[in-house]
Amino acid sequence: MDKKIVQKKWTGKRLLLIGLGILILSLIVYQLLFADNRSTLNVNKDRLSIGTVKMGEFKDFIPVTGNVEPGETFYLDAIEGGIIAEIVRESGAIVEKGDTILTLTNSNLQLEVMQRETQLYEQINNLRQTRLLLDQNDLSQQAQLAEIDYQLNLLKPQYIRFKSLFEQKLISEREFEEVRENYEYNVKRKQLTYRSYKNDSVARVFQLRQLSNSEARMQRSLDAVGKILNNLTLKASRDGQLATPQLEVGQSVSSGQRLGQIDVMNNYKIRVAIDELYLPRVDLGQNGSFTFSGGEYNLVINKIYPTISNGRFEVDMVFEGESPEGIRRGQTVRIKLELGATEETLLLPVGGFYKDTGGNWAYVINPANKDEAVKQPIRLGRKNIDYYEVLEGLAAGDQVIVSGYENYGDNEKLSLE
């Protein structure tokens, strides 16, 4: 008799398949919910530059390049044109005030000076002749007054005698009238002559004053004309070092042409070119510093040239204290120019990562796993040649990969090997 076989529902094979399915499903759920699915790139740790975030003083400065120049420069310009006859001092020579540098010749100028001197001498002689005529007229009027006084001295006693005789009827009326008329005529003549002399004296004083002023002006003009030829000799206006272009004997020089300069060597300044972007942030009195021969020297801006050329403007900086010994004109120095006050803030070392991220994110070393770095948003502020100012996203002690990210693509995590 046949026996009915009952099929088992939970066989070992089925249980195995179910278990495998549950395991696979669990793995899928874990991957979806809990596993780290961020893209990862393996990089060589030895090729990275890692900077540590720290608290410190942020010095807001920019690096600029300056050229050493003399603190004072006096230019040498030709007052008169001519031909170079002799070069007494060569470029680079140390000169003292009054030293002759070169001499010029100008025959046309010499002839013109002689003509002008002759004209001035003639004018001065004419003025002196006019003064002589005024003096002679004064003497003539004084002589007339003296002659009238002499006549009055003779006529007055005669008039008094004749008057007395006429009153006593000892002489005729006709004889008395002749004496009286002669006396009264000389009295009136003296009054008129004296009045004329008085008026002429006032005018003469004014004319003599004008003549003296005119003669003095002409004498000064004569002296100035005589000194014109001195302008053909170029002399040092200050003590210092002479700097001239290439000059040769026989070379033609025009009036006003710059023939060189004298540099005062006991102090220096530095002419600095700065990017025009910083013009609003640069002002008089701002400080800078540079190192020279192992020492650090401080500078201060004392002049700003606002004219912009090729995207840059210039400033003059002078030393606070003595100039460094051994520094020379034309040398180039690297200066740290301060743009703002020093502040205590978080600092991140400067690196090439900024050009790839714009300072918006960075790879930060995982403090729990030093062998991985994770992409993290940050915000940076000001920058100097050493540090960025950290505004958000980082804390003191964080380690950041500061080398360039150009080979890392969009990976959110780096595995450091």
Side-chain angles (χ1 to χ4, degrees), residues 35-48:
D36 188 352
N37 295 317
R38 291 175 294 180
S39 56
T40 303
L41 178 69
N42 295 328
V43 296
N44 189 341
K45 188 175 183 179
D46 295 335
R47 297 183 179 180
L48 303 178

Side-chain angles (χ1 to χ4, degrees), residues 43 100 107 154 176 200 246-247 288 293 335:
V43 296
T100 298
S107 57
L154 295 177
F176 172 67
D200 288 348
Q246 184 65 34
L247 300 174
S293 297
I335 301 170

